[in-house]
Amino acid sequence: MKKITFLFLCLFLSYFSIAQDSWDVGLEFQAYPTGILPGARIEKNFSERHAVHLRIGTNIFDHRQLGKHYTEEGQGFGFTVGYKRYFSENHERFFLGLRNDVWFNEVKWGKETLPKPPLQMNGITKITVIQPTLEGGYTFVKKHFFLTPTFAFGFEINTKTDGEATGEGAIILLGLGTGYRF
């Protein structure tokens, strides 16, 4: 899986380095009700209204009692590949996009058993998560610097689980990206 991911990322970057349009390089931060997703991001603006992007980041979360166990918290690393369609030229203003995150997370969970007194059981699960998402936002650009607030809706899907099942499902994210346009 790691070799395929590395090969895909190399092909992605080499394909879009050929075109002469602009690049956005910066940081992105997304928050959802049970976690945060900070990362570094590169975006290739091509054509008049289109862009593709890649993010490498981390997923830090605490599902509290919203997961399948009494407690679920953890973190992991991953990447995002996405596409944007701007509604005006020059890659500014409103946009809609599709993106997919892949996260390699480790979840520490705890649950109580029924005997009296209750016993606490703990464990660790390693999961691979895909997160297809629809995203909308607005990009402000001033003197090559950009600021992009976003709103996104998608689904967390645990595709590989090593240990007990953990929480997954619908997700809403608020984000903010900032950086420099070359």
Side-chain angles (χ1 to χ4, degrees):
M1 176 72 173
K2 290 181 182 181
K3 289 180 183 179
I4 293 171
T5 301
F6 179 74
L7 178 62
F8 178 78
L9 295 177
C10 288
L11 289 172
F12 176 86
L13 292 174
S14 65
Y15 175 76
F16 289 103
S17 66
I18 297 169
Q20 299 298 315
D21 294 318
S22 65
W23 288 87
D24 291 353
V25 177
L27 300 174
E28 180 178 46
F29 178 84
Q30 287 183 301
Y32 58 102
T34 61
I36 59 172
L37 305 169
R41 177 182 169 125
I42 187 167
E43 182 170 304
K44 177 63 176 165
N45 299 306
F46 67 97
S47 180
E48 289 293 324
R49 299 173 189 239
H50 304 278
V52 292
H53 62 269
L54 175 68
R55 169 178 66 175
I56 297 174
T58 188
N59 184 357
I60 303 165
F61 56 91
D62 181 358
H63 291 162
R64 301 180 302 278
Q65 296 176 353
L66 301 173
K68 296 184 182 208
H69 297 91
Y70 185 71
T71 62
E72 290 183 359
E73 60 183 71
Q75 64 182 22
F77 68 94
F79 66 94
T80 304
V81 176
Y83 163 79
K84 283 183 181 178
R85 165 75 163 75
Y86 287 90
F87 291 100
S88 65
E89 296 178 3
N90 301 323
H91 304 98
E92 296 182 47
R93 312 270 188 237
F94 288 106
F95 66 86
L96 282 179
L98 295 172
R99 61 192 293 168
N100 188 57
D101 296 0
V102 178
W103 299 108
F104 305 97
N105 294 333
E106 183 173 282
V107 183
K108 295 177 184 174
W109 52 264
K111 64 181 178 180
E112 291 183 354
T113 61
L114 293 177
K116 293 185 181 183
L119 300 173
Q120 182 74 24
M121 291 181 61
N122 298 307
I124 296 176
T125 298
K126 293 183 179 183
I127 57 173
T128 301
V129 179
I130 62 168
Q131 184 180 310
T133 308
L134 175 65
E135 176 182 53
Y138 191 94
T139 299
F140 302 92
V141 180
K142 182 152 183 149
K143 296 184 180 180
H144 295 282
F145 290 96
F146 68 87
L147 184 68
T148 305
T150 62
F151 176 81
F153 173 78
F155 293 93
E156 289 182 320
I157 304 164
N158 296 346
T159 59
K160 182 179 177 187
T161 303
D162 182 12
E164 287 200 23
T166 60
E168 60 186 329
I171 186 169
I172 293 176
L173 304 116
L174 294 176
L176 185 63
T178 187
Y180 189 81
R181 179 169 288 172
F182 294 93

